[in-house]
Amino acid sequence: MQLTYFGHSCFQVTIGGKKILFDPFITYNELAKDISVDSIKTDYIFLSHGHADHIADCISIAKRTGCKVVASWEIHEWLNKNGIANTHPMNTGGKWQFDFGTVKCVVAQHSSGLPDGSYGGNPMGFLFMTGEGNFYYSGDTALTLDMQLVPTWATPDFCVLPLGDNFTMDVADAVRAAAFAGCNKVIGVHYNTFGFIKIDTEAAKKTFEKAGKELLLPAIGQSITV
Ligand code: NI
Ligand code: MN
């Protein structure tokens, strides 16, 4: 599976010819200034929660591409009110079969207010189960024992986990999250974007290595095969 990193928690995978973008936050990310938001093509946007650093570019990309946006019921209603009609509401515990595979919404321990103060429902993670492989994107979250349920549904080939600390798990907790999810390959996100979440990337890779796991930190704009 091809994965492209666009900075912070924004990445895109291609499955069965469908492009799926997660948590678009590019315009306001100084580190992603070389990424042209208006050139991103996508068939889907998945939103883990309503915070600005996960949805800032959602409306503009959805308007331009006509893609389907998948999010909590409350964010789906908010998008509808803001002119985005092609949405699919979900909530934690539920799954849905899309044209590229099945996605299960899983628990994330975080918060989810929208930028204008609207209630965004609960934050969520996603477990993708597809003919091209499975992966788990946890969204912003604390380490939680709920992650132990992930491999009972499907074994992820890789996980996408936040590890910047302060707002989410730190590196050590992300290692434990990967273990709970039954997965040895992790793509780290939600680090170094702002002052609160600066990490030592070399030390982070070593911490994963010591635990017998691999931490991938693709550069912004880089595509990797996972
Ligand atoms: Ni957040
Ligand atoms: Mn965040």
Side-chain angles (χ1 to χ4, degrees):
M1 203 180 290
Q2 190 84 353
L3 182 149
T4 304
Y5 183 53
F6 290 119
H8 200 50
S9 289
C10 182
F11 63 99
Q12 188 176 47
V13 296
T14 307
I15 307 166
K18 302 289 177 188
K19 290 180 184 299
I20 303 156
L21 185 71
F22 295 83
D23 288 353
F25 174 72
I26 296 161
T27 304
Y28 302 102
N29 181 0
E30 182 62 23
L31 302 180
K33 60 182 184 306
D34 293 336
I35 304 294
S36 159
V37 180
D38 293 335
S39 67
I40 293 175
K41 296 189 178 83
T42 202
D43 299 293
Y44 291 90
I45 297 174
F46 277 73
L47 301 175
S48 63
H49 64 294
H51 290 161
D53 62 318
H54 297 259
I55 70 160
D57 290 307
C58 177
I59 288 177
S60 79
I61 296 171
K63 269 195 184 142
R64 177 176 51 79
T65 62
C67 71
K68 187 178 287 296
V69 185
V70 183
S72 70
W73 172 263
E74 291 81 1
I75 295 175
H76 139 89
E77 286 197 310
W78 181 83
L79 287 166
N80 291 170
K81 275 185 212 142
N82 283 279
I84 303 300
N86 189 12
T87 54
H88 180 102
M90 294 187 77
N91 213 332
T92 45
K95 65 178 181 310
W96 187 260
Q97 198 175 339
F98 294 92
D99 54 3
F100 57 81
T102 299
V103 179
K104 188 171 180 76
C105 279
V106 299
V107 169
Q109 282 288 355
H110 194 63
S111 55
S112 185
L114 285 153
D116 64 2
S118 301
Y119 173 61
N122 288 322
M124 51 178 69
F126 302 108
L127 177 61
F128 276 62
M129 298 167 278
T130 83
E132 292 182 27
N134 308 321
F135 70 92
Y136 166 49
Y137 170 44
S138 71
D140 282 6
T141 182
L143 179 67
T144 164
L145 290 171
D146 290 291
M147 291 164 176
Q148 293 178 100
L149 289 169
V150 168
T152 70
W153 294 308
T155 305
D157 299 299
F158 65 93
C159 296
V160 181
L161 303 174
L163 36 69
D165 208 349
N166 193 66
F167 299 116
T168 69
M169 298 187 281
D170 64 0
V171 171
D173 281 352
V175 169
R176 297 175 70 192
F180 283 166
C183 179
N184 284 329
K185 186 186 283 190
V186 172
I187 288 113
V189 297
H190 214 274
Y191 68 94
N192 285 359
T193 318
F194 7 82
F196 294 119
I197 57 173
K198 288 257 160 53
I199 66 160
D200 178 335
T201 53
E202 284 315 306
K205 284 181 183 170
K206 284 202 186 94
T207 303
F208 273 78
E209 237 170 69
K210 270 186 209 144
K213 299 188 186 299
E214 185 184 14
L215 175 64
L216 301 171
L217 300 174
I220 296 172
Q222 190 185 356
S223 294
I224 57 170
T225 304
V226 280

